[in-house]
Amino acid sequence: MSLSFPTMAAIRFGYGFRPGEAPPQNKDDLIGQLSKGAAATPDFPLGGPETRHRAILSLQEQLKQIRQDAKSVTDDTTRREMRNGVQRQAQQQFQHDVNLRLMQAVLSPYGFYERLATFWTDHFSTSANKSLPMRLIVPLYEAEAIRPFMSGRFGDLLRSATAHPAMLIYLDQADSLGPDSAGGIKRNKGLNENLGRELLELHTLGAGSGYSQADVTAAAMVLTGLTIDRKEMDIAFRPNISQPGTHEVLGVSYGGRRRSRDDYLDMLDDLAIHPKTAAHISRKLAVHFISDQPDEGMVSDMAAAWKQTDGDLTAVYTAMLGHPAAWQNEGAKSRQPFDYVVAGLRALNAGPVNGVVGSFLAANQQGTDEGDMAANTPGMAGSPVTTDPAGEGRDRRLKAFRTARALGQGALKRMGQPTWLPPSPAGFEEGFSAWITGSQLAERLAWARRATAQFGRDEDPREFLKSTLADAARDETIRVVSQAPNKFSGLTLVLASPEFNRR
Amino acid sequence: MNRISLSRRGFLTSACCLAAAPVFTPVTFAAMPGDNRFVTIVLRGAMDGLDLVQPYGDAGFAALRPTLALTPDTGLLDLDGHFGFNPAAADLMPLWKSRELAFVHAVSTPYRDQRSHFDGQDMLESGGEHVAEEKTGWLNRALAVIPRSDARKAIDVNTSTELILSGPNDVDVWASDSNLAPARDEMQFLTRLYAGDPPFAAALAEATRADTASMMVEPDGQRGEKTADVAALAANMLKGDYRIASFSITGWDTHIGQAGQFKRPVQDLAQAINTLKATLGAEIWTKTVVLAMTEFGRTARQNGSAGTDHGTGGCALLAGGAINGGRILGGWPGIGDGQLLDDRDLMPTADVRELAAAMLYRQFDVGVDDLTGKIFPGLGFDKGSQFLRG
């Protein structure tokens, strides 16, 4: 082992050190986080899942009302204003959720669990940009369809992610009908193969693994029937829009004279334990956590664990952590922007209970912003309460809110990794060279300056370096930091150092 | 040069700007009038060429696309009596009429059958015959073999590197709204901090170069992240000593409700090209070629939700004062019975790599052997290429 176990565990498998928090001491500590993390309710969506379900329905209702009202309104400006109000509400809720998710990663003692949540949410990418309701649905998706299933069987995770409204909307499954089904004929609509394709290419077997266009089309046919109940904004299975007959995917027939939910569930289960799925996802995990060119022995150990356990993910993670390559060649990966920002806030998060960063961000959940905050959202379930709409207190909160946004989502957007807004169904870029560029470095420097100015008042750069990087700090970094011309410059250099940007 | 204000950047005049100095000086600027420029735009998500440039003259087109196909009677802008322009691209009509715009229909990479965006983009940008065969981008490899060394300077306008420009040759990556702004004495500490870590040292040097150049061309301008800002930054860098620029336009993955979804990316594309022309100015525009290309086309038939799924043959766009446009290039395969690939996609009749090779040949005199050996391995290309007449 090149570095101490806790350092490797904190930086490679978590979001870095947080002062006052003990890093994992052994592999059992890391694996133990899985059940503890799953048992804790995520901080998002704002107000909890039940409240969010109601908020989604309420948004649907408002949109419907606007569409109805719009029929009698001829003035374009009025029509736009009606829609803008609802848009602003949804956008605000989204901003709050983004902030909550960031805080959770900063404050959670279960770094490995949090990193896995980021990995799987990215693996099963959905984007909040797809439609207005998706601003409210995507945070719920991570909370209820991804996080609870990350340590069990992959097949269960695949089922929960595939059949969540977020996925059905994002990959257009809600609009796919069997062309020869009764419903398809009646509505003169037919197949949309988007989800069928990404299911094989991205979510299970992997691109270039040998499936054909016929498999894609057949998988899309098997999936017909799986759709959304728009009234309830919940998943539904409707046999009358299922393409009749049997459909062969990778040599296995699904369906029959009567189509049922079991057809697509059987297909997902078969795909989940397919050896190509095991190989594809084991490799992807190893690439994400350890190296762009992972040790082949490690990948095959993971795939073997997958095979032995029918895709038990805890067994797969255990195989990864159990391989010597997991603990060698530190710093081969670059921290992605979310990882970088979270690690930076964790490093700066000294202080009691939630630390200065936690208190700051929490306070700003109740902040206010012109035309952008809770004061404009009467009756929105789950919205934070706003008091004192005017005066000095308001100005102070406004400034603080803007700073928080600049350090959080604003920075992530500029760095190219805005939360829940991946550029494509394939998720965010993974490789080192995608993230370590001139542009990226400029953004990270700007962030480091701003974050240390905000939170670095009580820090000594030399102590900060120790508590932040421990034995990962190189001699040259220790020298440069200790010679920095002033305190903030020294703190910035720690966050700008290659060690802090690598993992 | 005297219009260039350094007021935002006191540091540029201090010692730390030594590293940036060679990039942009009156001498290099003056030394290079007459040089050609090349811009590639990657249209990510698989643009539907059959929607942008619609073969309304083909019998059966309307039947393939009941709600997507237009005719001149329903708003399509006629181009040549057979093809017509999607009305969302109306802003490109002046360029078409001045013969500074051409379309190349039914092109694709050698990629077939799988129709994955990500593999498709890999092929388009790496320039190989097979997925993952080439690990670097063809435009980066081209830099090494451009005969004139002063034409080897490229900028990728993006937050992260695109495959098309990634590889061993120096390329600067810079977002349209990036800003390095190091404190006066910070630079020397950063230089020391990164001395032992080559990728970080290279990134810092890149940031310094690009930041300096972008500040020089737009000293006090408000720069944003919209397509027009991206295109304006690219053009401004090309007015300086960059000769090659690349950026992307996304939003082409129109599986559903395409009639509405298609407008925005088409308008972005039109705006990007018009901004390039306006910002470069008349003289440089005559030496410029813009090549916009996509990973593959979409299904000839619209799908069950008034969109299109992943197909094969697509459409590329050429623009610039240097091209002989106002024409639809490429071999049109037809869309009738038996003419589609797999009874599903527009049949590719040419390799989009040949089009790219032709532009490298014509803009920078890149040798044929280099084009078919190093840049596009396995490609057939000679000086008789149809695209050199384009």
Side-chain angles (χ1 to χ4, degrees), chain A residues 96-170:
Chain A
H96 284 299
D97 282 344
V98 165
N99 198 9
L100 286 170
R101 187 183 191 280
L102 180 68
M103 276 174 72
Q104 165 143 344
V106 171
L107 300 177
S108 170
Y110 313 126
F112 183 46
Y113 176 83
E114 290 295 324
R115 285 279 309 282
L116 282 167
T118 303
F119 172 85
W120 286 113
T121 300
D122 188 68
H123 179 77
F124 291 109
S125 270
T126 62
S127 169
N129 260 351
K130 178 84 174 182
S131 66
L132 192 58
M134 286 286 272
R135 309 279 201 290
L136 305 195
I137 298 172
V138 171
L140 182 67
Y141 166 72
E142 177 173 335
E144 69 183 8
I146 302 289
R147 287 183 172 249
F149 298 95
M150 302 188 311
S151 48
R153 286 176 61 245
F154 176 72
D156 293 332
L157 177 60
L158 179 64
R159 281 180 170 206
S160 70
T162 304
H164 192 277
M167 186 64 79
L168 302 184
I169 293 171
Y170 180 54

Side-chain angles (χ1 to χ4, degrees), chain B residues 173-386:
Chain B
V173 182
W174 203 240
S176 59
D177 58 348
S178 289
N179 191 345
L180 179 62
R184 191 173 288 273
D185 50 4
E186 193 177 58
M187 192 53 84
Q188 53 174 300
F189 280 91
L190 287 171
T191 305
R192 279 178 58 198
L193 193 64
Y194 297 152
D197 195 317
F200 280 84
L204 181 64
E206 176 186 326
T208 310
R209 275 196 308 271
D211 189 46
T212 308
S214 70
M215 280 304 122
M216 291 283 190
V217 295
E218 287 180 284
D220 295 309
Q222 283 291 314
R223 290 179 298 138
E225 49 172 343
K226 296 194 165 28
T227 306
D229 300 314
V230 170
L233 177 64
N236 275 315
M237 299 298 239
L238 292 169
K239 282 166 84 175
D241 59 359
Y242 290 87
R243 289 297 168 266
I244 291 172
S246 179
F247 57 91
S248 296
I249 296 176
T250 59
W252 305 96
D253 198 16
T254 48
H255 284 277
I256 166 174
Q258 180 165 318
Q261 277 195 34
F262 198 58
K263 279 183 200 152
R264 190 196 60 77
V266 171
Q267 286 164 353
D268 279 352
L269 176 61
Q271 194 180 36
I273 292 167
N274 286 327
T275 302
L276 284 170
K277 179 179 177 178
T279 312
L280 285 170
E283 193 194 332
I284 296 179
W285 181 246
T286 62
K287 295 161 189 150
T288 299
V289 166
V290 180
L291 169 60
M293 61 211 163
T294 189
E295 63 261 30
F296 44 69
R298 307 188 73 85
T299 47
R301 289 179 194 84
Q302 71 181 59
N303 67 10
S305 33
T308 51
D309 291 321
H310 301 182
T312 309
C315 183
L317 175 156
L318 284 174
I323 69 154
N324 180 12
R327 296 184 297 161
I328 309 287
L329 305 169
W332 178 245
I335 49 167
D337 280 350
Q339 292 176 317
L340 296 176
L341 176 69
D342 300 341
D343 188 36
R344 158 189 176 105
D345 305 339
L346 185 64
M347 181 73 76
T349 55
D351 191 328
V352 71
R353 300 179 306 158
E354 186 192 338
L355 176 60
M359 295 307 120
L360 286 174
Y361 176 83
R362 136 187 212 151
Q363 291 303 88
F364 303 116
D365 296 324
V366 176
V368 171
D369 289 349
D370 283 333
L371 286 168
T372 58
K374 292 176 184 161
I375 302 178
F376 299 110
L379 178 73
F381 175 81
D382 59 43
K383 296 175 186 178
S385 168
Q386 56 169 325

Side-chain angles (χ1 to χ4, degrees), chain A residues 172 175 189-194 197 201 207 211 213 413-414 433-434 437-439 449 474 483 496 498 502, chain B residues 114-116 118-119 160-161 175 177-178 181 186 192-194 197 203 206 225 255-256 304-305 309-310 344:
Chain A
D172 306 316
D175 291 277
K189 292 183 85 181
L191 196 67
N192 187 311
E193 64 180 39
N194 205 7
R197 175 178 304 282
E201 177 187 330
Y211 59 85
Q213 175 61 41
K413 182 163 179 267
R414 297 183 60 85
S433 61
T437 66
S439 199
R449 288 187 203 111
R474 298 171 310 159
Q483 293 165 4
R502 290 174 174 273
Chain B
Q114 293 286 305
R115 303 178 177 93
S116 149
F118 320 106
D119 284 348
S160 66
T161 326
D177 58 348
S178 289
E186 193 177 58
R192 279 178 58 198
L193 193 64
Y194 297 152
D197 195 317
E206 176 186 326
E225 49 172 343
H255 284 277
I256 166 174
S305 33
D309 291 321
H310 301 182
R344 158 189 176 105

Side-chain angles (χ1 to χ4, degrees), chain A residues 194-314:
Chain A
N194 205 7
L195 178 62
R197 175 178 304 282
E198 305 306 14
L199 171 66
L200 299 184
E201 177 187 330
L202 299 174
H203 301 162
T204 61
L205 307 172
S209 59
Y211 59 85
S212 67
Q213 175 61 41
D215 291 318
V216 170
T217 309
M221 291 293 192
V222 176
L223 287 166
T224 53
L226 175 59
T227 187
I228 289 184
D229 178 339
R230 298 257 176 208
K231 260 199 201 125
E232 294 294 321
M233 279 312 265
D234 202 354
I235 66 156
F237 188 83
R238 303 234 157 91
N240 74 319
I241 59 165
S242 288
Q243 176 72 0
T246 56
H247 310 284
E248 196 166 290
V249 180
L250 303 167
V252 183
S253 274
Y254 303 92
R257 222 163 51 79
R258 284 174 58 85
R259 293 290 319 278
S260 78
R261 188 187 293 265
D262 287 342
D263 301 335
Y264 87 79
L265 291 176
D266 289 348
M267 175 176 74
L268 293 184
D269 289 349
D270 289 345
L271 290 172
I273 55 168
H274 197 285
K276 292 203 163 130
T277 300
H280 171 221
I281 296 178
S282 295
R283 165 173 292 275
K284 201 174 162 185
L285 276 162
V287 165
H288 180 74
F289 280 99
I290 291 148
S291 163
D292 290 350
Q293 283 89 38
D295 184 285
E296 290 304 327
M298 163 184 277
V299 176
S300 59
D301 279 6
M302 294 165 73
W306 192 298
K307 190 179 170 199
Q308 270 163 24
T309 62
D310 280 351
D312 176 66
L313 291 171
T314 297

Side-chain angles (χ1 to χ4, degrees), chain A residues 451-462:
Chain A
T452 51
Q454 186 68 38
F455 299 119
R457 275 183 296 278
D458 301 326
E459 305 276 357
D460 176 293
R462 290 157 298 188

